[in-house]
Amino acid sequence: MNLKNKVVIVTGGAGLLGKSFIEAIADHDGIAIIADINSEAGVKVKDELLRKNKNYKIDNVNLDIVSKTSINKMINEVINKYNKIDAIINNAYPRNKNYGRDFLDVEYEDFCENVNLHLGGYFLVCQQLIKFFLKQEYGNIINISSIYGVVAPRFELYNGTKMTTPVEYAAIKSAIIHLTKYMAKYLKDKNIRINSLSLGGIFDNQPQSFLEAYKKNCLNKGMLNEKDIIGTLIFLLSDKSQYVNGQNIVVDDGFTL
Ligand SMILES: NC(=O)c1ccc[n+]([C@@H]2O[C@H](COP(=O)([O-])OP(=O)(O)OC[C@H]3O[C@@H](n4cnc5c(N)ncnc54)[C@H](O)[C@@H]3O)[C@@H](O)[C@H]2O)c1
């Protein structure tokens, strides 16, 4: 599978998963654009990856996914430089300072703010990119969802830790899957496809008790590494998946079974 000269934007491209997506796109001969609100982190990721391989094609743009002005500025910057956008991966992970509280402690204002930032941001990026893709007459969108958009939380996994599945996360990630289907249908006959990717938990030095409990719910490995998702992501970005459209693809080592 090859992404030769495909221009692919990754929102939240400077984060944990974003960085590995950027590297994978560059590894497959694509032009990978880091689009992050944290420009400094974006520059760092770009420099680090270019030190690893000077032939990578990686660029950097500033983006705030909840600002229409910022999204359109990003589109214009990319178009002025590369003349096209082949695909965008909605991967940013905005959350406010109170995010992650126990269900009973979540204030209405925080619930709304987090839904606005994350779900609202994914909606806005899709809407603005779709306006552009309709003019371009093709496009490809991948929305990053989660296993917790597919199944109910397994709260027992968090016993003895400060972790939880935030209620906003469940609402946001399940809605992203349905929003994706809505938009795929809306785009009938437009040569623009849109899928979501529901990822299992990614190892990031979580507490040992959690890792062990999580693994018992999986079929082989348990928590995944960033690299474990790459094959599916590249497939969805490549022309080999031309007729995969409106789907939610789950990569989770069987956690949701
Ligand atoms: N890490 C996991 O275990 C896991 C599992 C399943 C799904 N996911 C999903 O993968 C995606 C990436 O997660 P991650 O763990 O890499 O997160 P992360 O926090 O490491 O990175 C998120 C990035 O988004 C950027 N960002 C935040 N607000 C933004 C905004 N308004 N506009 C543009 N960029 C913004 C941040 O600066 C950061 O670089 C998220 O959608 C997350 O829900 C993660």
Side-chain angles (χ1 to χ4, degrees), residues 135-177:
K135 282 190 235 148
Q136 184 179 249
E137 298 185 347
Y138 68 89
N140 185 1
I141 300 176
I142 300 172
N143 289 325
I144 302 300
S145 181
S146 159
I147 46 177
Y148 290 126
V150 177
V151 293
R154 303 213 172 127
F155 291 113
E156 64 279 11
L157 302 184
Y158 304 115
N159 286 344
T161 78
K162 289 194 171 132
M163 299 164 68
T164 189
T165 300
V167 62
E168 299 97 321
Y169 198 68
I172 290 163
K173 289 308 198 188
S174 57
I176 285 174
I177 295 171

Side-chain angles (χ1 to χ4, degrees), residues 10-21 34-39 41-42 45 61-67 70 90-95 99 117-118 121-122 125 143-148 169 172-173 176 197-204 206 214 223-224 226 229 251:
V10 182
T11 77
L16 176 74
L17 280 169
K19 181 180 165 190
S20 70
F21 293 170
I34 302 165
D36 205 289
I37 198 166
N38 186 343
S39 294
V45 166
V61 287
N62 183 262
L63 171 70
D64 179 359
I65 64 165
V66 291
S67 159
S70 172
N90 262 310
N91 163 78
Y93 192 178
R95 56 265 211 204
Y99 183 75
L117 288 169
H118 193 149
Y122 278 43
V125 171
N143 289 325
I144 302 300
S145 181
S146 159
I147 46 177
Y148 290 126
Y169 198 68
I172 290 163
K173 289 308 198 188
I176 285 174
L197 195 48
S198 282
L199 305 175
I202 307 299
F203 176 75
D204 192 19
Q206 290 88 349
Y214 184 96
M223 296 289 277
L224 302 178
E226 297 92 312
I229 295 146
V251 183

